[in-house]
Amino acid sequence: MRILVLGGTWFLGRAVVADALGRGWEVTVFNRGRSAPDPAGVRAVHGNRTSIDDIRRLVHEGPWDAVIDTSSSDLAPREVLLSARALGDQTDRWVHVSTVSVYAQWPRNALTETSSLLDAPADADASFGYTGADGTPTAYGFQKAGGERAVSSVFGDEAVFLRPGVILGPGEYVGRLPWWLSRAHRGGQVLAPGPAGRRIQPVDVRDVAAFALDQACSTASGGFNVTHPTGISFEGFLAECFSVSGGSGVPVWVRPEDLLAHGVRQWTELPLWRTHPGVWAVDSGRAVAAGLRCRPVAETVRDTWVWMESGELPVSHPRRAEHGIGREKEEAVLAAVHRSSAGGAAQS
C-alpha cells in the first residue's frame, strides 16, 4: 500500500505515519517542514498547500493508493479544493480528517452520521461562516463543512470523512489531558465540573490513526463519527489522572450553573467540560461497525502521563495556552463555593 499523508509530523499525522510504517506501507508526507522533523522511513516532500507550485511539485511524486489528510484544520475550503483537484489524478481515494463541528446541531443535540451538516460551499474563502452568540455553530465548523464538500466534489464515493470530537493521547499539543494530569499531580483541592457521573467520549489518537488507515484500503464512503463508544465518567477520568500521576488531590464537584456564575470558561479553563447536552452524545455506531476499536480511556491517560514523564515535548501551538484555569482563579472559585455551602448549612 502506497499512501500520501498530508501533514505527518504533528499529533495525529505522526500517529498515522507510525502505524502505516508498522504495516509495511510506503509513506510519503507533505508538509512545510517547519514544526517538527519528518518521521524516519518516509519520503518527505516540503511545501505549502496554499501554493499551486508546491502542489504541482508534489503531484510528480505520485501516484498513491490513498491520501490521508490530517492537516486541513487551518485551511479554507477553497484551499482544500486546490489540493483535492491537483491530486485527483494521482489517487483514487481520500480519507479526510474532519470534526463533529461540521454538524448543524453540535453540541446542542445528540448526533448520528445522518444528522444535518452546516452548509458551506466548496470554494469558500476563510471569511465564510460565523460563530453563534452561545458559541454554536462555529466559523470553524462552517469552514470544515466546506472542506468536506470540496473533497466530495472531486472524489465522490471514494471520499471518507472522519469526524472525531476530542482526540487525546501521547503527543497531544492542545494540552487538554496534559493539563488535567499536571493539575492532578499538583494535588490539593481540584475544581471539578459536576455532575461527576457525566460520561465523556474522548478517543485515543492511535485508535483514530488505525481507523484512518483501515478506511484508506476499504470500500466504504461517507462520514464516520470517531468518538469513544462507551467513554468514561468525568469522575472516573479524574480518578485515573490522580492515580497515574501520583497526585494526592481531592476533586471538589461544582454544579455547572455555579461554575458559570463564577465566570469559568467552558471547554478551555476546565478542559473537556461543556454544558451543552449533545457535546458528548455523538453516536459512533457506524464507525464501530466498520472496525473502529477504542482502547479504554484509562489506558490513554496512563500512556499520556508516561509520555509527559519522558520529557518529549509536543509541537508548539498557541491553543495550548488557552487550556487550564489559573491557580488564583481556581482558588477563588473554590473559596466562594465553600462559603456558599457553609452559608446554606448555617441557614438550614
Side-chain angles (χ1 to χ4, degrees):
M1 188 80 173
R2 191 168 191 258
I3 65 168
L4 167 64
V5 178
L6 299 179
T9 60
W10 284 27
F11 183 40
L12 176 58
R14 183 169 285 271
V16 168
V17 169
D19 194 333
L21 293 175
R23 300 181 187 205
W25 293 8
E26 183 179 341
V27 181
T28 302
V29 299
F30 179 71
N31 54 66
R32 294 175 299 175
R34 297 176 183 174
S35 301
D38 294 302
V42 304
R43 165 65 175 157
V45 181
H46 291 159
N48 194 319
R49 287 184 61 177
T50 63
S51 166
I52 186 60
D53 290 336
D54 289 351
I55 293 293
R56 285 171 177 164
R57 184 163 46 83
L58 172 64
V59 166
H60 294 304
E61 299 294 329
W64 297 276
D65 297 306
V67 171
I68 301 179
D69 186 357
T70 68
S71 67
S72 66
S73 61
D74 296 327
L75 296 182
R78 63 171 53 182
E79 294 166 339
V80 176
L81 184 62
L82 172 68
S83 303
R85 283 176 171 171
L87 294 167
D89 292 333
Q90 297 298 316
T91 185
D92 294 325
R93 192 159 181 79
W94 189 288
V95 179
H96 193 77
V97 180
S98 186
T99 170
V100 294
S101 295
V102 299
Y103 288 110
Q105 292 302 312
W106 188 85
R108 296 189 185 97
N109 298 322
L111 298 173
T112 69
E113 287 88 351
T114 62
S115 300
S116 60
L117 303 180
L118 295 169
D119 188 16
D123 60 351
D125 63 20
S127 67
F128 187 87
Y130 64 91
T131 297
D134 68 343
T136 64
T138 63
Y140 173 73
F142 280 103
Q143 290 283 304
K144 293 293 281 186
E148 286 195 13
R149 183 168 291 182
V151 173
S152 287
S153 71
V154 177
F155 288 92
D157 289 340
E158 289 299 329
V160 177
F161 303 103
L162 308 188
R163 296 168 183 152
V166 171
I167 304 176
L168 303 178
E172 185 204 332
Y173 64 87
V174 175
R176 295 183 176 102
L177 178 50
W179 185 83
W180 277 116
L181 282 164
S182 297
R183 180 63 192 90
H185 180 65
R186 178 157 58 89
Q189 292 192 334
V190 177
L191 186 65
R198 187 182 187 189
R199 300 193 75 78
I200 59 177
Q201 297 176 281
V203 64
D204 192 288
V205 62
R206 296 161 293 184
D207 298 330
V208 181
F211 187 66
L213 293 171
D214 291 344
Q215 294 312 304
C217 53
S218 79
T219 58
S221 64
F224 291 94
N225 294 334
V226 188
T227 56
H228 202 293
T230 57
I232 190 172
S233 69
F234 222 112
E235 183 177 33
F237 171 75
L238 285 189
E240 292 295 337
C241 289
F242 284 120
S243 176
V244 302
S245 69
S248 58
V250 177
V252 178
W253 298 99
V254 180
R255 297 181 306 173
E257 56 267 34
D258 293 332
L259 291 172
L260 294 174
H262 290 292
V264 179
R265 294 194 302 274
Q266 300 183 54
W267 212 233
T268 54
E269 285 194 308
L270 292 183
L272 307 180
W273 167 64
R274 200 166 183 176
T275 58
H276 298 83
V279 65
W280 297 117
V282 182
D283 178 47
S284 58
R286 183 170 189 252
V288 170
L292 174 66
R293 297 294 178 266
C294 292
R295 70 198 69 204
V297 177
E299 182 177 334
T300 303
V301 172
R302 182 184 67 242
D303 291 350
T304 301
W305 178 253
V306 171
W307 165 72
M308 290 170 63
E309 287 287 272
S310 75
E312 180 184 341
L313 297 176
V315 172
S316 178
H317 197 278
R319 288 183 64 189
R320 192 176 184 88
E322 299 174 358
H323 291 89
I325 190 169
R327 183 177 299 200
E328 290 185 2
K329 183 171 182 178
E330 181 184 22
E331 291 175 350
V333 173
L334 286 169
V337 168
H338 290 318
R339 285 196 301 271
S340 176
S341 298
Q347 292 176 10
S348 62

